[in-house]
Amino acid sequence: MSERVIIGRIGEIALKGLNRMSFEQKLAKNMKHAIKDCGDFKISWSQSRFFVEAKGEFDIERAAENICKVFGLVSVSIADKISSDFDEIAKCAVEQVRQKLENNPGKKLTFKAETKRGLKSFPMNSREISTEIGAVILEKFGGRLSVDVHNPDFIVYTEVREASYVYTEIKPAQCGMPVGSNGKACLLLSGGIDSPVAGYMIAKRGVSLVAVHFYSYPYTSERAKEKVLELAGIVSKYSGPIKVYVVPYTETQLAINDNCRPELSTVIMRRSMMRIAERIARSNGCSALVTGESIGQVASQTMHALYCTNAVATMPIFRPLIGMDKVEAVALARKIGTFETSILPYEDCCTVFTPKHPKTRPNIDELIEEETKYNYKELEDTAFKNCEIIHC
Ligand code: ATP
Ligand code: MG
């Protein structure tokens, strides 16, 4: 009797020493969260493998898909679990190969068998198991199959442990570290391509996310806000739940627009955003801010402008896209599934108020002097107090 189970393989966690256990527990918790809607299951782990087994009704295909997005796993397979008995293993391998052939009607295919034996009391070694499985498969399907050990069309994998596992597919997962194992950061999330990717990259290293979105209604529409929440929802499939702070930013932005020299207004606005974001970050126990900035992408991201924006923050600002070209950010956005939402044509508050000729080499003293001409603090306080909080 075989039972279908999910196998998840860990990567960097395996290199952890004494605290490996706490990383594994975090990973198990995150996997559980990712598949909570897929039915009744239990999770266990031993050595470098996590196992998800059905306890009742369980949508294993969808669960495997969701688990592929959980940081900390290198790859995922759906396997048949059987007792560690050669005849059972061979029977199971034959069934899986039969499926492969049925899915490729009329085609001649090549294969090889690969085995890992963890159960040292098993009477055959890995090489003998592979050879025997290969022989049984060839005996059954020799007309349509041949062995190619260098470049086979598929591989029949067998793992012999207390129980044994047979599978033919290994899906790559995200790698990284389990979210929650490495503190919390606050992501400045616009509706663009870059910031969701930046959030994904930081979460990948085990960091939980809180997000802040500056919203200038009615200059930016309700649809623009929905788009940002949708992006947070997509990133949360990887990062786990994200608390999104929507900051009512219209009054502050209008004040900056009305009171600053236009060529300085963008960087002054970015500094104001950092001040508010840092307050939200601090109130949520975050130890860093995260943005999607990349050197030279726009006027507010020249080295000089980044210097001036940075100078207002006391927390580190992480910019994981800093050395990336747009094409690289787009490729990642496509891979993680945010791209199609990011390119929906709803305006961002940064772009609505962009001056015609922003200064690409702003001077920090000049900026600070310009900022003192109006008391933005009160407006920023009000914006901070009136944030709308949405759980994504
Ligand atoms: P993106 O594609 O991420 O929107 P961008 O190329 O449009 O980036 P900017 O608009 O200058 O560049 O924004 C740079 C960064 O500032 C963004 O990646 C994001 O982290 C942050 N940001 C911009 N607008 C907002 C906003 N309305 N709310 C929160 N953060 C924002
Ligand atoms: Mg933007």
Side-chain angles (χ1 to χ4, degrees):
M1 263 293 285
S2 75
E3 177 196 343
R4 292 179 89 209
V5 303
I6 300 173
I7 300 180
R9 299 171 195 82
I10 58 171
E12 242 182 280
I13 299 174
L15 306 175
K16 298 286 165 197
L18 291 177
N19 50 3
R20 173 170 166 170
M21 181 80 158
S22 74
F23 285 89
E24 290 174 332
Q25 280 164 349
K26 285 242 155 61
L27 177 55
K29 184 170 157 248
N30 296 348
M31 286 168 70
K32 205 167 159 183
H33 179 81
I35 58 175
K36 64 180 191 312
D37 299 332
C38 299
D40 218 2
F41 59 88
K42 77 166 195 259
I43 297 184
S44 59
W45 62 96
S46 83
Q47 291 157 12
S48 295
R49 299 278 190 275
F50 275 70
F51 300 96
V52 186
E53 299 177 43
K55 276 201 323 195
E57 282 287 302
F58 185 50
D59 184 346
I60 195 166
E61 310 286 345
R62 194 155 64 85
E65 207 173 292
N66 290 3
I67 279 176
C68 272
K69 293 184 174 165
V70 176
F71 293 127
L73 293 174
V74 173
S75 63
V76 169
S77 295
I78 296 181
D80 281 327
K81 181 182 178 187
I82 59 258
S83 60
S84 288
D85 165 87
F86 182 78
D87 290 342
E88 287 277 320
I89 294 170
K91 203 167 101 192
C92 186
V94 163
E95 265 328 296
Q96 292 207 10
V97 172
R98 191 192 305 283
Q99 275 297 322
K100 271 265 178 233
L101 293 173
E102 273 175 23
N103 294 342
N104 293 276
K107 261 196 196 161
K108 290 204 170 202
L109 298 176
T110 59
F111 81 105
K112 75 169 172 176
E114 256 186 39
T115 307
K116 277 203 175 82
R117 186 188 61 150
L119 183 68
K120 293 303 166 203
S121 62
F122 196 78
M124 302 154 84
N125 67 26
S126 310
R127 204 166 42 80
E128 288 164 346
I129 300 170
S130 297
T131 310
E132 284 301 312
I133 290 176
V136 173
I137 291 172
L138 279 179
E139 196 186 330
K140 268 265 181 240
F141 306 110
R144 288 205 37 208
L145 274 179
S146 57
V147 172
D148 180 346
V149 291
H150 300 296
N151 194 19
D153 292 320
F154 68 93
I155 299 176
V156 179
Y157 299 95
T158 305
E159 295 190 22
V160 181
R161 299 163 171 254
E162 280 305 317
S164 290
Y165 303 87
V166 177
Y167 50 90
T168 55
E169 307 273 343
I170 298 181
K171 288 208 179 88
Q174 310 297 319
C175 303
M177 305 295 288
V179 170
S181 64
N182 214 348
K184 208 191 262 186
C186 177
L187 169 68
L188 281 83
L189 183 62
S190 72
I193 292 166
D194 303 326
S195 46
V197 173
Y200 166 91
M201 288 174 78
I202 291 292
K204 182 173 173 177
R205 299 308 302 164
V207 181
S208 318
L209 297 178
V210 168
V212 177
H213 176 65
F214 293 91
Y215 179 55
S216 290
Y217 188 79
Y219 299 94
T220 53
S221 66
E222 186 69 26
R223 295 298 301 273
K225 180 167 100 180
E226 280 165 18
K227 169 182 165 181
V228 170
L229 296 176
E230 195 178 318
L231 287 170
I234 300 172
V235 176
S236 77
K237 296 271 184 286
Y238 303 89
S239 68
I242 302 178
K243 195 163 139 190
V244 183
Y245 284 70
V246 178
V247 184
Y249 197 53
T250 318
E251 299 305 321
T252 317
Q253 196 158 18
L254 286 173
I256 293 171
N257 218 45
D258 292 346
N259 294 285
C260 290
R261 279 158 47 201
E263 69 273 22
L264 298 180
S265 65
T266 306
V267 179
I268 287 177
M269 179 191 70
R270 310 242 357 120
R271 285 165 59 87
S272 155
M273 283 179 163
M274 290 298 165
R275 279 193 294 266
I276 298 174
E278 199 170 73
R279 286 174 73 174
I280 293 169
R282 199 155 277 126
S283 69
N284 278 280
C286 299
S287 31
L289 301 174
V290 180
T291 76
E293 290 160 313
S294 140
I295 296 173
Q297 194 185 74
V298 286
S300 60
Q301 294 172 34
T302 61
M303 284 295 277
H304 299 80
L306 288 171
Y307 175 88
C308 294
T309 306
N310 223 68
V312 81
T314 60
M315 273 184 194
I317 304 177
F318 294 142
R319 302 175 170 94
L321 275 62
I322 198 73
M324 275 193 189
D325 285 4
K326 199 76 186 181
V327 284
E328 293 169 296
V330 165
L332 247 177
R334 283 189 195 281
K335 182 186 148 206
I336 68 172
T338 50
F339 182 73
E340 295 302 330
T341 306
S342 287
I343 59 170
L344 293 173
Y346 308 120
E347 65 297 325
D348 180 62
C349 69
C350 277
T351 41
V352 171
F353 290 87
T354 306
K356 276 216 169 59
H357 303 291
K359 208 165 178 176
T360 52
R361 289 172 172 254
N363 172 286
I364 187 77
D365 299 324
E366 181 187 31
L367 273 177
I368 290 171
E369 197 195 320
E370 191 70 13
E371 269 175 1
T372 55
K373 292 183 182 159
Y374 187 90
N375 180 12
Y376 297 104
K377 184 164 183 320
E378 253 173 55
L379 291 173
E380 287 172 4
D381 284 348
T382 310
F384 172 68
K385 278 189 204 120
N386 293 325
C387 284
E388 182 188 356
I389 299 174
I390 297 147
H391 294 268
C392 289

